[in-house]
Amino acid sequence: MHILVTNDDGVTAPGLLALVIEMRKLGEVSVLAPDHNWSAAGHVKTLHRPLRAKPVTLADGSPALASDGAPSDCVALALMGVIEQPVDLVVSGINPNANIGHDITYSGTVTAAMEAVINGVPGVAVSLDAPEHNRGALDYSAAAAAARKVIETLIKHPFERDILLNVNVPYLPENEIKGFRPTRQGMRIYRDELIRREDPRGKPYYWIGGEAPTGVDESGTDFGALKAGFVSIAPIHLDMTAYKVLEEIQSWKWPE
Ligand code: MN
């Protein structure tokens, strides 16, 4: 198996290396990741400037490629031929913070896995639910091991190619993680606040600030599983059609 590993935090992020080391136990690993942090950059396709992919060395001395494109660009570049050997699976992460509920279209981590699915390759996004604004170094070992176990399970089963798995791991030592739970997308509660300041010339500028988001703690959801100490595995569709609403509006009288 040939696994492409990417992320949205940049090729030097420790979460990427932790994932790479664990994925090597499953097959051959190639890395093509952004050259800087693209967190919350969403699903991007760069069409109006050229993209580069330059050889770099990870902290363990292994080779990788770093691109000036977004996470989704990195996946597209790799699958379209920048990496010559065919890719069987794309794994993105490990993001330091959870990607649940409405986070998924903001998330570079998840949209990289979406890009894999668009290109006909299964995608897995892996995020760690570490406290926001954590100052020290994070321990990614439990999340990396959890990611490997999820993928070991995945490759034993037939899997629809147009689905990605959005994996979130509680920030707990490996022996305190309670297990693995298939989940549905839950509800995020954003606590964004508009911060308005003035620049030295008296012109206003804005920051989107506020506290870290929380969520609705409901059983069966990604957020609920994390709060209960389980690894959340949410299968995600790129088909965003609201099927119930479609049925309903089909019965409306529309202009001829
Ligand atoms: Mn990130």
Side-chain angles (χ1 to χ4, degrees):
M1 187 152 82
H2 180 211
I3 302 170
L4 172 71
V5 175
T6 191
N7 74 349
D8 79 350
D9 303 305
V11 72
T12 58
L16 178 120
L17 184 58
L19 188 57
V20 165
I21 290 168
E22 207 65 25
M23 291 301 104
R24 283 191 194 128
K25 298 175 184 171
L26 300 174
E28 204 188 314
V29 173
S30 297
V31 175
L32 201 170
D35 64 9
H36 67 272
N37 192 336
W38 283 80
S39 294
H43 203 160
V44 173
K45 183 174 266 187
T46 298
L47 296 177
H48 302 288
R49 63 177 177 88
L51 292 169
R52 311 271 177 183
K54 64 172 188 185
V56 295
T57 307
L58 300 183
D60 72 343
S62 61
L65 290 169
S67 171
D68 54 350
S72 40
D73 289 322
C74 291
V75 172
L77 289 178
L79 299 184
M80 287 193 294
V82 169
I83 290 178
E84 281 173 26
Q85 194 194 342
V87 169
D88 302 304
L89 176 70
V90 174
V91 187
S92 173
I94 298 167
N95 196 65
N97 301 111
N99 279 304
I100 61 157
H102 290 332
D103 293 341
I104 62 170
T105 57
Y106 290 120
S107 166
T109 309
V110 180
T111 53
M114 288 179 179
E115 189 64 25
V117 168
I118 288 171
N119 286 277
V121 174
V124 177
V126 186
S127 306
L128 179 61
D129 188 23
E132 203 102 8
H133 314 303
N134 188 306
R135 279 160 198 276
L138 292 177
D139 181 357
Y140 287 95
S141 58
R148 175 178 46 76
K149 289 176 191 169
V150 167
I151 292 161
E152 280 169 346
T153 309
L154 165 67
I155 58 190
K156 277 188 215 147
H157 295 86
F159 182 68
E160 278 185 53
R161 282 185 164 261
D162 61 344
I163 304 279
L164 70 93
L165 293 185
N166 183 30
V167 178
N168 283 276
V169 184
Y171 193 50
L172 294 170
E174 202 176 345
N175 60 355
E176 285 177 33
I177 294 177
K178 289 198 184 134
F180 292 74
R181 283 241 169 113
T183 57
R184 62 190 158 82
Q185 208 183 328
M187 279 299 293
R188 256 300 189 209
I189 300 169
Y190 294 104
R191 299 185 284 182
D192 295 346
E193 274 172 35
L194 187 67
I195 295 167
R196 186 190 190 276
R197 290 184 184 151
E198 267 185 17
D199 74 14
R201 280 153 213 93
K203 294 225 169 85
Y205 66 90
Y206 304 95
W207 282 100
I208 298 174
E211 284 183 70
T214 178
V216 178
D217 187 356
E218 199 182 346
S219 123
T221 66
D222 44 19
F223 189 78
L226 282 179
K227 291 301 117 188
F230 289 86
V231 176
S232 161
I233 304 137
I236 302 291
H237 241 197
L238 271 70
D239 178 354
M240 294 193 185
T241 310
Y243 284 96
K244 274 189 194 158
V245 178
L246 174 61
E247 250 174 64
E248 196 183 316
I249 68 173
Q250 275 168 338
S251 71
W252 295 359
K253 183 151 176 55
W254 292 96
E256 295 288 319

